[in-house]
Amino acid sequence: MGARPAPPGAIIKMWKPEKNSLHVDSRTSPTPHGRHHDDPAAVTSNVRKAGLICTSIEAEDPDNRIRLTVDYPKTRNDYTPFLNMEVKIDKDGTLDTRLYRKPQKKLPTLHSSSHHPLSVKEHTIVNMYETADNVSSNSTNKHHSERMVDELLLNNGYTNRVLDRIKDRRKNKRSTPPRRSRDREAPDTVTTPKAPLPSDRRTPKIKEAAKSLQIPARVATTPGKKLRDTLTSSRPLDKKKCPNNDCRTRTAPNNSGNCRDRNPVHEVKCGHPECRQNGTGLHNGETHRPIGDRPTEHPRSANNPTAKSHKDTPLAKHHATHHQDSHPNPELKVPQHTPTTADRKIKEARPIPKNKPDPNNRDEQTEPRKHLV
């Protein structure tokens, strides 16, 4: 189940054998019957009927790859594992459930000394306790499930003081009534600035400052550079080289990178003598894709300006209006490389009022507003 298409593939694979076996033979039709991806569950009167159900499903598989195992309680007081919980049916017919952890799973989880923000660790611990409560059917089972989580976290470096503090916070959160959404006015524009994690103490202060000033922003922290980033690179000190020998991007003015660099801000000038003399045909642009794609895309759109895929591009409009019969020879200039989308949009919009490029439209001026606070 590690790949994304695996769960729907398992559902499709198991559906037809179940349809041809359980819904045809009344002797093997359990009540109730359910399945989570490729893990079926059913209630039967004895282990022999459970094995018969598994055999009938396996027999309907044309590839003969489905193999089902039976987990059946040996006594009436035993629990049967299913997914992340244990299940038992009491004498009165009630369902008794509690948290289950496979013996094959190792003890290490998110360690207390890991390179993660403190908030991430606390939310992970809270979710583990929430799962323990959700899969437990009564107070006795909740105590059993919480004790399993306690033992797991204690083995990963967390102290009883930290766990008690998180448990008390969960209890207080449950007792506090939730705030109504009407009390808060939704901002018109919300941006998410990301910054390397300064410290676990400073990050809440930054969020509180943004909240007190009513800045429509959600502060998101990203982990800093890890030792793994350097150790997993085979040649970390080598400089990036352009993979193409005849690359036009490498010879572009002001370009300090190579044709595989992303997030560049560039300028494209029309190579026609009249445009050079009059100072027209200048286009300020940006792209999140590699800059090496631009020297081929702009001449292609200018060569065929009436094509459906090119007619809305800047140079196609310029050549369709001024140079219908001439061969385009645009010049590329890469003045800046940017790290993020917001920087790219802002640095593209800044020179447009000064240069007043005719192929550009007004969308470049309004686009940065989406990324500004």
Side-chain angles (χ1 to χ4, degrees):
M1 291 297 166
R4 181 173 294 181
I11 295 173
I12 297 172
K13 180 69 175 179
M14 292 291 297
W15 176 76
K16 193 171 183 180
E18 288 180 349
K19 179 183 177 182
N20 296 337
S21 58
L22 301 182
H23 302 287
V24 174
D25 191 354
S26 59
R27 297 174 300 174
T28 60
S29 180
T31 304
H33 171 266
R35 175 171 44 80
H36 178 77
H37 299 326
D38 59 344
D39 295 321
V43 178
T44 60
S45 56
N46 52 59
V47 67
R48 174 183 164 277
K49 188 173 182 180
L52 184 62
I53 292 173
C54 295
T55 304
S56 61
I57 295 176
E58 293 174 358
E60 294 296 332
D61 181 25
D63 301 327
N64 197 22
R65 292 184 177 181
I66 296 179
R67 292 291 181 270
L68 301 177
T69 57
V70 178
D71 288 326
Y72 202 87
K74 296 181 180 179
T75 63
R76 196 154 188 98
N77 295 326
D78 292 340
Y79 284 86
T80 302
F82 180 70
L83 299 178
N84 64 338
M85 64 180 180
E86 292 180 316
V87 183
K88 183 181 71 171
I89 300 177
D90 295 333
K91 294 181 180 180
D92 56 353
T94 58
L95 199 63
D96 195 4
T97 59
R98 64 186 186 184
L99 184 66
Y100 171 72
R101 186 175 172 85
K102 292 183 179 181
Q104 295 86 353
K105 285 191 174 182
K106 299 180 180 180
L107 291 177
T109 180
L110 185 60
H111 201 272
S112 60
S113 60
S114 65
H115 190 75
H116 288 82
L118 184 61
S119 59
V120 174
K121 299 176 186 178
E122 291 184 352
H123 282 89
T124 303
I125 295 174
V126 169
N127 290 334
M128 294 174 71
Y129 283 115
E130 290 289 342
T131 303
D133 289 348
N134 293 334
V135 301
S136 302
S137 57
N138 52 51
S139 58
T140 305
N141 289 343
K142 284 185 179 180
H143 179 70
H144 171 80
S145 301
E146 285 187 2
R147 191 169 67 248
M148 289 182 59
V149 177
D150 290 342
E151 293 177 358
L152 178 63
L153 294 174
L154 290 174
N155 286 324
N156 284 272
Y158 298 95
T159 61
N160 288 318
R161 183 180 178 182
V162 174
L163 301 183
D164 293 339
R165 178 172 56 84
I166 294 177
K167 291 179 183 178
D168 294 339
R169 187 182 300 175
R170 289 181 62 240
K171 293 179 182 179
N172 296 334
K173 187 176 181 180
R174 290 180 178 179
S175 60
T176 304
R179 296 182 180 179
R180 295 182 179 180
S181 58
R182 299 176 183 176
D183 300 339
R184 302 178 180 178
E185 295 183 359
D188 297 334
T189 305
V190 177
T191 185
T192 307
K194 296 182 180 181
L197 178 66
S199 66
D200 290 326
R201 295 182 179 180
R202 192 176 300 175
T203 303
K205 294 181 179 179
I206 296 175
K207 294 182 179 180
E208 287 296 330
K211 184 178 178 181
S212 62
L213 296 174
Q214 298 182 354
I215 299 176
R218 300 186 186 97
V219 181
T221 56
T222 57
K225 189 176 182 181
K226 305 175 184 178
L227 185 62
R228 182 190 63 186
D229 300 335
T230 303
L231 296 179
T232 55
S233 179
S234 59
R235 306 179 72 174
L237 300 180
D238 287 358
K239 296 182 179 180
K240 295 181 179 180
K241 295 183 179 180
C242 184
N244 301 322
N245 295 327
D246 55 345
C247 179
R248 297 176 61 184
T249 311
R250 185 172 54 184
T251 58
N254 293 2
N255 184 23
S256 59
N258 58 63
C259 61
R260 295 294 95 192
D261 288 342
R262 295 178 179 270
N263 289 332
V265 178
H266 60 273
E267 295 180 1
V268 181
K269 293 182 180 180
C270 178
H272 201 273
E274 294 181 1
C275 292
R276 292 183 180 180
Q277 184 178 359
N278 299 329
T280 58
L282 172 65
H283 168 64
N284 292 101
E286 52 82 23
T287 179
H288 71 282
R289 297 182 292 114
I291 185 59
D293 299 339
R294 286 310 195 198
T296 57
E297 289 177 351
H298 286 300
R300 191 186 308 125
S301 62
N303 273 324
N304 194 7
T306 58
K308 186 176 181 180
S309 58
H310 297 156
K311 63 180 182 179
D312 294 330
T313 59
L315 285 187
K317 294 179 180 179
H318 176 76
H319 277 262
T321 305
H322 303 284
H323 318 294
Q324 296 183 359
D325 299 330
S326 62
H327 181 72
N329 186 23
E331 297 178 358
L332 178 67
K333 182 179 179 181
V334 186
Q336 298 179 80
H337 292 270
T338 59
T340 62
T341 301
D343 293 339
R344 192 178 72 242
K345 296 290 184 181
I346 294 170
K347 291 180 179 179
E348 178 204 17
R350 281 178 177 175
I352 290 179
K354 179 181 178 181
N355 298 334
K356 297 180 180 180
D358 53 303
N360 286 81
N361 50 33
R362 297 183 179 180
D363 295 340
E364 292 87 351
Q365 297 294 306
T366 59
E367 186 71 17
R369 298 177 184 175
K370 302 178 182 179
H371 304 276
L372 292 174
V373 178

